[in-house]
Amino acid sequence: MNGKRSTFLISALVFGFAFLYVPILLVIIYSFNEGKLVTVWAGFSTKWYVSLFNNDGMIDAAWNSLRIGVMSATLALALGTPAGLVMSRFGRFKGRTMFSGMIAAPLVMPEVITGLSLLLLFVTLEQLVGWPAGRGLSTITIAHTTFCAAYVAVVVQSRLSGMDISVEEAAMDLGAKPAKIFFVITLPMILPALLAGWLLSFTLSLDDLVIASFVAGPGSTTLPMKVFSSVRLGVSPEINALATLIILTVSIMIVIASFLILRSERMRNRAANGSDA
Amino acid sequence: MSSDKLTLKQRFDRWMIKHGRVLVIGIPYFWLFLFFLVPFLIVLKISFSVAEYAQPPYTPLFEWIDEGITITLNFGNYLFLLSDSLYATAYLNSIRIAAISTIITLLIGYPMAYGIARARGSMRSVLLMLVILPFWTSFLIRVYAWIGILDREGLINAFLLWTGIISEPLIMRQTEFAVYVGIVYTYLPFMILPLYSTLEKMDVSLIEAALDLGCKPWQAFVKVTLPLSMPGILAGSLLVFIPAVGEFVIPELLGGPNTLMIGRTLWNEFFANRDWPIASAVAIAMLLFLVVPIMWFQHIQTKQEEREQ
């Protein structure tokens, strides 16, 4: 009976992971296809990568996306870290329910609503106070920072909740100031979560099509917007090549990051065990 | 030390101790308030105005006439939404498609999450990593991957024609079926992760006890495992359902011209018809429907945090 159940679970896992990975693998394989048709394998070629790198519009859009991604991930970290800290360490305060609502809601809010509402905010602000003058990279950065900050807050909060509070309390008993406790004790301990939060924000920003389309202006076309307009017409081998590059970059980044996180955790465990002994 | 002989640093420290807490709460609070909450009020405001050829393309709601302020509320946009059956169809379609996709995602995700939670140590982290990795890979590219598979000249049709099972290519892309595939595919990790985290924390001895007391395995599952994993089921389902209702990219790329969904309608009102007030009214109507699931989601999140602390 147990055997039957584990057979079921194993086949569920095998089918599930095949479902998740086969489409991605096909995109990677067909990016090396010589021919233009998806279904016909016409031999190995890297010519689509060459034509991708000669596509100036695509390269410009990629630069825009990278700049927005780095800026908004960094800003989201600066805003999301205190937000996560507040949620897990500050106890009750006036307006806490609304605060937690403003952190949870961006995670599930349909993107068309977020995009439209931010655009209307920018237009209204421009009418009232003259800022932001026009729309472009800066408005996209603000939009991305807002929803990425919510993700960072959740990551930081869950890290802090799983963390031993006694070290911070000991430091407080010994008379350390709150700011010092945060920078000397809490920050180093949540460093892996901060790295994860930054990377998550960066990839979310790099990937966003809908919100960016609403708040973009002339000359601020991002990579997803470029991809979307060419994908609407069907499969293109150049997009396959781009997709392969994105998938490879992200996978390498994730593997390195999880290696770093694992190592820091192992070192912390060793330190903790050492002090116990 | 007398208080009038404080150095600048001491003054700063005192100020920080007094106001630091407010500052740490205030900065993210202000940002989210300005860029997340206030925009909804503006959408609400503009949904009551009339579209016109101007910059920006809607009439002002408040007007200064003879040192008095007049407010012109225009319910026309909402009446229009009610009168044209296109919008009602798009709404009901979105809710139906999102609900069915959520159920399919749950049926695929639950056994996977269970399998991962019951896997041995090192295997478990590898499997978890394999679930998270696609979540990090571009959403747009994952939707795009299915165009090449489901298309008329796509890989499934090519394979089936080659084996001789079919003689005419199947129409799969630009159907509702393709939309289900797209939603289930892209949102599956969102379902698995919360399910995994509740199933992993579950005490296995409870199931063993149920089995020892004579429950059949399926009874133990229905009576013990399923109720205990309910928080994960709810969190995962809401994480799939709410964004799926407003999904734009998937119906646009995989659905046909007849696959009406509300996110697509909003997009077209805004970008094609340039009717900002109608687009705002559509957004408000969608929010009114989603506010209950969103608050439910927040409630589950808060309860989970309290349990962790």
Side-chain angles (χ1 to χ4, degrees):
Chain A
M1 206 149 27
N2 213 343
K4 216 197 293 175
R5 205 180 71 185
S6 63
T7 318
F8 170 71
L9 286 180
I10 287 170
S11 39
L13 283 174
V14 170
F15 279 111
F17 281 118
F19 176 61
L20 281 177
Y21 280 91
V22 168
I24 298 177
L25 288 178
L26 288 174
V27 168
I28 296 178
I29 292 169
Y30 275 91
S31 74
F32 295 106
N33 188 6
E34 168 91 46
K36 208 171 162 58
L37 284 171
V38 229
T39 42
V40 188
W41 181 259
F44 181 86
S45 157
T46 50
K47 71 175 186 191
W48 300 115
Y49 290 87
V50 177
S51 89
L52 178 70
F53 281 111
N54 289 325
N55 185 339
D56 288 337
M58 207 63 103
I59 301 287
D60 286 346
W63 272 119
N64 280 344
S65 277
L66 284 176
R67 264 156 53 195
I68 295 168
V70 170
M71 279 292 294
S72 42
T74 310
L75 278 172
L77 200 63
L79 284 165
T81 310
L85 187 76
V86 166
M87 287 304 294
S88 71
R89 290 283 191 266
F90 275 40
R92 301 255 152 238
F93 60 90
K94 215 168 148 189
R96 187 190 157 97
T97 312
M98 193 161 98
F99 194 64
S100 80
M102 289 193 300
I103 289 171
L107 306 183
V108 289
M109 189 59 72
E111 289 171 316
V112 282
I113 298 183
T114 314
L116 176 72
S117 63
L118 273 167
L119 169 78
L120 296 179
L121 173 83
F122 291 139
V123 170
T124 310
L125 278 179
E126 192 180 358
Q127 274 181 301
L128 289 177
V129 294
W131 177 91
R135 292 179 294 281
L137 297 185
S138 57
T139 45
I140 303 177
T141 305
I142 292 174
H144 285 181
T145 301
T146 308
F147 77 86
C148 291
Y151 277 92
V152 173
V154 169
V155 172
V156 167
Q157 182 190 359
S158 75
R159 176 78 204 164
L160 282 169
S161 303
M163 220 173 73
D164 192 3
I165 197 170
S166 59
V167 187
E168 289 161 66
E169 282 171 346
M172 210 179 311
D173 289 345
L174 293 171
K177 294 188 187 76
K180 187 165 188 184
I181 295 175
F182 176 75
F183 284 108
V184 176
I185 296 168
T186 317
L187 198 63
M189 282 171 92
I190 61 171
L191 219 47
L194 296 187
L195 177 64
W198 193 91
L199 280 175
L200 184 62
S201 303
F202 180 69
T203 52
L204 284 170
S205 162
L206 215 56
D207 192 28
D208 166 65
L209 164 75
V210 175
I211 296 172
S213 299
F214 275 98
V215 298
S220 60
T221 307
T222 63
L223 196 56
M225 287 157 74
K226 197 86 191 161
V227 170
F228 183 66
S229 61
S230 83
V231 155
R232 261 184 160 159
L233 309 169
V235 177
S236 116
E238 229 174 67
I239 300 293
N240 283 344
L242 176 67
T244 306
L245 291 179
I246 293 178
I247 292 165
L248 281 181
T249 317
V250 170
S251 309
I252 291 170
M253 254 167 52
I254 300 301
V255 170
I256 292 175
S258 41
F259 173 75
L260 287 177
I261 290 170
L262 268 181
R263 202 182 60 172
S264 87
E265 233 143 64
R266 213 174 294 144
M267 271 163 65
R268 176 148 14 97
N269 284 347
R270 204 177 298 152
N273 290 341
S275 63
D276 282 349
Chain B
M1 188 191 293
S2 63
S3 59
D4 50 7
K5 276 277 176 196
L6 288 175
T7 65
L8 201 65
K9 190 185 175 306
Q10 281 166 327
R11 270 183 210 209
F12 178 75
D13 285 348
R14 283 202 168 188
W15 188 84
M16 274 308 281
I17 286 167
K18 210 170 159 196
H19 300 286
R21 187 181 151 92
V22 176
L23 213 64
V24 174
I25 298 177
I27 293 171
Y29 206 115
F30 175 74
W31 181 285
L32 288 169
F33 184 76
L34 178 63
F35 293 116
F36 187 71
L37 215 59
V38 172
F40 291 126
L41 300 177
I42 297 173
V43 175
L44 185 67
K45 188 199 116 187
I46 289 170
S47 75
F48 287 115
S49 57
V50 181
E52 62 173 13
Y53 285 104
Q55 193 63 16
Y58 49 85
T59 56
L61 207 57
F62 308 102
E63 264 174 321
W64 290 95
I65 299 169
D66 300 332
E67 294 179 357
I69 192 165
T70 60
I71 303 172
T72 339
L73 281 188
N74 158 47
F75 290 92
N77 300 318
Y78 291 96
L79 292 176
F80 184 68
L81 291 192
L82 288 173
S83 68
D84 194 336
S85 67
L86 176 106
Y87 297 101
T89 316
Y91 264 101
L92 295 177
N93 262 345
S94 303
I95 294 166
R96 182 173 50 86
I97 291 175
I100 295 176
S101 317
T102 307
I103 293 168
I104 303 173
T105 316
L106 180 63
L107 291 178
I108 298 177
Y110 200 101
M112 286 182 77
Y114 197 90
I116 297 170
R118 293 288 161 272
R120 254 170 276 117
S122 58
M123 191 64 187
R124 188 192 291 181
S125 18
V126 172
L127 292 175
L128 206 57
M129 183 81 182
L130 284 174
V131 173
I132 296 169
L133 206 57
F135 167 81
W136 288 80
T137 334
S138 168
F139 169 82
L140 191 57
I141 284 168
R142 281 181 293 145
V143 177
Y144 164 76
W146 284 95
I147 298 179
I149 298 172
L150 297 174
D151 218 18
R152 205 182 135 82
E153 282 94 35
L155 290 165
I156 293 182
N157 273 327
F159 178 74
L160 290 177
L161 285 169
W162 176 72
T163 55
I165 294 173
I166 55 169
S167 52
E168 280 284 297
L170 301 171
I171 308 290
M172 284 175 292
R173 193 190 158 204
Q174 306 201 315
T175 61
E176 220 173 274
F177 166 75
V179 176
Y180 290 126
V181 172
I183 296 178
V184 171
Y185 180 67
T186 45
Y187 286 94
L188 189 58
F190 287 98
M191 181 64 89
I192 296 179
L193 293 177
L195 279 175
Y196 165 79
S197 75
T198 47
L199 285 170
E200 183 242 7
K201 279 186 217 116
M202 206 175 70
D203 192 351
V204 189
S205 60
L206 292 173
I207 303 168
E208 282 163 8
L211 291 175
D212 285 346
L213 293 170
C215 268
K216 295 208 171 62
W218 68 266
Q219 284 176 318
F221 177 77
V222 171
K223 289 189 175 165
V224 181
T225 315
L226 211 54
L228 282 175
S229 57
M230 219 32 150
I233 295 177
L234 286 177
S237 301
L238 290 170
L239 270 173
V240 176
F241 178 77
I242 300 169
V245 169
E247 188 51 61
F248 163 74
V249 177
I250 296 171
E252 182 73 15
L253 290 183
L254 296 176
N258 303 324
T259 324
L260 278 180
M261 281 184 82
I262 200 68
R264 221 175 161 188
T265 311
L266 194 160
W267 179 284
N268 288 333
E269 290 297 350
F270 183 83
F271 286 102
N273 302 345
R274 293 197 54 79
D275 193 332
W276 294 17
I278 287 279
S280 303
V282 171
I284 292 296
M286 194 184 336
L287 263 182
L288 282 182
F289 172 74
L290 288 179
V291 85
V292 173
I294 289 174
M295 287 176 78
W296 196 11
F297 173 73
Q298 190 209 338
H299 177 73
I300 294 171
Q301 290 278 93
T302 320
K303 258 196 352 206
Q304 178 141 4
E305 285 149 27
E306 278 162 7
R307 214 172 305 131
E308 273 168 15
Q309 274 166 14

